Amino acid sequence: MAENVIKIRNVKKVYRMGQEKISAVNNISLNIAYGEICCLLGKSGSGKSTLLNLIAGLEKPTKGSIIFNKCHIERMNEDQLAKFRQQYVGFVFQSYNLLSTLTALENVTLPLIFRKVPVAERNKKAMQMLEAVGLSERANHKPSEMSGGQQQRVSIARAFINSPQVVFADEPTGNLDTKTTYEMMDLITTLAEKNKQTLVIVTHDLEIAEYANRIIHISDGKIEKIEQNTNRKRATIEGGSKK
Ligand code: ADP
Ligand code: MG
């Protein structure tokens, strides 16, 4: 039986909007195994991002528990959560979230700066990561000098540089064309699989969900069904499996 890196128990998130209450996540329980590639699939507004943010320690649940490596992250304060995220998780966002004044290399080194890795070592590691995502020639470019796909490659390099146990990707290809979308999915899943990292992907797109071992269908803040995807889609484009 596979061990679980994440256990979610009876988690609720209620937002108040004036008089109105919105149950964005409505009593979800879920286990995520070490090394699993899983996908939260659902329509816009179904609660996927809220659930992801709860699991990743970016938001607090209204109720329930979120256990990450046996630690209750819903009990942590902001300092503890910041340390937790630095140590255990990486993020890939739809909008890349790169710092515009920094070069690709500097953006990738950021997580290592927070962990106080010496400069020579972090530059070396960041160059290796940029190579792994096929972007070493762009190391000194700023985000505005790169295409959307290239910016997302930088953000993928940044997400993986600390070898985090879990990488969270929220609509990682939402702003990209079809070909680049598959390149990014190939890259993220190949990196995660190679290093036996857990990957949690949020999407509304069934084609992207096909990359996961397990597809968790979310509707109205609840799990509608869980689907095992035994024959998951794998890297087809060379860029995804570059060393
Ligand atoms: P998805 O990622 O599936 O599109 P979200 O998790 O972003 O869905 O949102 C789920 C529901 O919660 C939506 O109805 C949304 O409007 C609401 N919601 C999300 N974040 C907030 C917030 N910060 N304040 C109020 N309502 C929110
Ligand atoms: Mg969302």
Side-chain angles (χ1 to χ4, degrees):
M1 198 177 65
E3 269 201 72
N4 296 312
V5 59
I6 297 163
K7 294 184 206 171
I8 307 158
R9 291 290 175 272
N10 306 110
V11 165
K12 288 189 182 186
K13 180 71 180 182
V14 179
Y15 291 113
R16 278 179 186 281
M17 300 282 285
Q19 298 285 59
E20 206 190 342
K21 280 188 189 173
I22 299 165
S23 292
V25 170
N26 195 358
N27 209 23
I28 284 187
S29 297
L30 178 69
N31 290 337
I32 297 174
Y34 283 103
E36 167 173 30
I37 297 177
C38 76
C39 175
L40 307 175
L41 175 69
K43 287 188 295 199
S44 173
S46 56
K48 309 178 297 292
S49 293
T50 305
L51 181 59
L52 184 100
N53 292 344
L54 292 169
I55 306 172
L58 291 170
E59 284 196 63
K60 291 258 177 164
T62 310
K63 261 195 187 158
S65 50
I66 298 154
I67 302 156
F68 196 113
N69 279 336
K70 303 195 167 70
C71 293
H72 277 265
I73 63 170
E74 83 280 3
R75 294 178 192 160
M76 292 182 184
N77 64 30
E78 285 308 317
D79 280 353
Q80 292 169 321
L81 279 174
K83 285 214 182 77
F84 155 79
R85 288 193 300 260
Q86 274 168 33
Q87 195 168 0
Y88 294 110
V89 306
F91 292 98
V92 180
F93 297 100
Q94 177 171 359
S95 48
Y96 325 130
N97 291 18
L98 299 176
L99 295 185
S100 60
T101 57
L102 301 184
T103 63
L105 187 81
E106 289 164 343
N107 267 288
V108 176
T109 59
L110 277 180
L112 301 179
I113 294 177
F114 291 129
R115 294 188 77 175
K116 303 192 171 60
V117 175
V119 61
E121 190 184 332
R122 68 184 186 236
N123 285 340
K124 187 172 159 219
K125 264 188 111 174
M127 260 329 280
Q128 287 168 349
M129 262 330 288
L130 281 175
E131 261 164 50
V133 301
L135 215 61
S136 37
E137 309 91 78
R138 294 286 182 279
N140 295 319
H141 287 231
K142 302 250 171 81
S144 62
E145 300 158 354
M146 291 184 278
S147 70
Q150 289 172 334
Q151 291 182 59
Q152 195 59 305
R153 284 177 190 269
V154 175
S155 100
I156 291 167
R158 181 184 58 186
F160 280 91
I161 195 162
N162 264 336
S163 306
Q165 256 177 9
V166 182
V167 173
F168 294 99
D170 192 344
E171 308 269 10
T173 61
N175 291 337
L176 302 171
D177 62 62
T178 310
K179 176 171 173 283
T180 313
T181 290
Y182 292 127
E183 286 173 3
M184 290 310 117
M185 289 310 299
D186 287 355
L187 183 58
I188 298 178
T189 52
T190 304
L191 283 171
E193 200 164 50
K194 195 163 74 186
N195 303 312
K196 299 190 168 54
Q197 283 156 303
T198 309
L199 186 59
V200 184
I201 305 160
V202 157
T203 186
H204 63 277
D205 184 344
L206 195 57
E207 299 245 14
I208 291 185
E210 286 296 333
Y211 280 87
N213 305 124
R214 204 157 59 114
I215 304 171
I216 296 140
H217 294 254
I218 308 283
S219 172
D220 284 335
K222 293 191 176 126
I223 296 178
E224 197 178 34
K225 65 172 175 182
I226 296 183
E227 194 184 335
Q228 298 292 336
N229 189 24
T230 43
N231 191 19
R232 77 169 192 85
K233 188 171 158 78
R234 280 166 193 282
T236 47
I237 299 167
E238 172 134 9
S241 41
K242 259 187 203 162
K243 295 236 176 60

